[in-house]
Amino acid sequence: MTLDAAAVTGWFREHARDLPWRRPGFSAWGTLISELMLQQTQVARVVPVVEEWLRRWPTPADLAAASQADVLRAWGRLGYPRRALALHACAAAIAERHGNRVPEDVDELLALPGVGDYTARAVAVFAHGGRHPVVDTNVRRVLARAVDGVAQPAAPSARRDLPAMSALLPEDLEEQRLFNAGMMEIGAVLCTARAPRCDECPLRRSCAWRAAGSPAHDGPPVRRQPRFEGSDRQRRGRVMAELRASDVPLTEAELARAVPEAARILEGLERDGLAARAEGGWALPA
DNA sequence: AAGCCGGGGGT
DNA sequence: ACCCCAGGCTT
């Protein structure tokens, strides 16, 4: 055995954070919403928004009946608003093709917009109790350290990552669910990329990385990410904020006061379905 | 395989 | 002031 699954589930039973999507009775639809929101956004920012969404749109059909503009406004500042449109499209597909119930089958989940390898399995496991490996970046880091003894995982590869996690999954249905959740939780709160809290880790006694003296990453340098300040991502965010805040269409000149490159940015937003030409200017899509 | 896509939090 | 974070999609 290369990793003590019981240590993970035991720790998780005791130390799991109390989060809305872990409450008993939280719906499968709520799980799909929260997983989409959590794809790139921190837990603390997601919590109030997912609760508001569920009050407002308790089933997929409810969300499907909303306008894209209302959905984008409710998305607020969570970032990457294409996810809001994806969720809206998920709602329509589920209402029309799946009887208003979130699918349990991984391949059916993968067919939904915005749902990839991670989200499909997370929903199958956490919403429906299915037995599947759930691999996000936290899990990949925990496996890299605890099993492989290196500081950072190799480039993501579903062909390698899924079988690696699968081999460690407990047979018991409840245990595998806790194991999947526990591995993510360890990666999120203990086995963090920087300053891991190994002293509190349930895997500290068997961790290959710790046993090797926690060597620094020795591979090629991690790719540096582009600056956000002055980026088109920042400009797009600013234009979207203007459109969300206005009840009436805004002219290109008005938007250019907030973002000088508004004309070019709007072309991109229109291509992505996030902005639409309206009388006298631009607005959120209807 | 690499680049794009928001916004906030930690150091 | 700077660096880090992270899943899905497109090219």
Side-chain angles (χ1 to χ4, degrees), chain A residues 106-107 109-110 115-127 130 132-135 158 162 180:
Chain A
V106 169
D107 288 325
L109 287 162
L110 283 169
V115 176
D117 284 322
Y118 163 73
T119 306
R121 288 172 178 81
V123 170
V125 172
F126 302 128
H132 309 277
V134 180
V135 180
L162 292 177
N180 276 309

Side-chain angles (χ1 to χ4, degrees), chain A residues 223-284:
Chain A
R223 194 176 64 82
R224 209 191 120 155
Q225 73 172 9
R227 315 175 53 81
F228 179 61
E229 197 67 27
S231 68
D232 274 2
R233 287 154 79 189
Q234 183 183 47
R235 295 188 187 98
R236 286 167 59 102
R238 286 182 175 164
V239 169
M240 288 299 293
E242 296 287 330
L243 296 179
R244 285 196 307 268
S246 178
D247 292 338
V248 296
L250 297 171
T251 65
E252 216 159 274
E254 287 170 328
L255 289 165
R257 281 201 278 277
V259 178
E261 304 86 346
R264 175 173 58 81
I265 295 301
L266 283 161
E267 281 183 42
L269 290 174
E270 183 183 32
R271 266 204 322 277
D272 294 338
L274 291 166
R277 298 176 195 271
E279 308 165 35
W282 292 84
L284 295 176

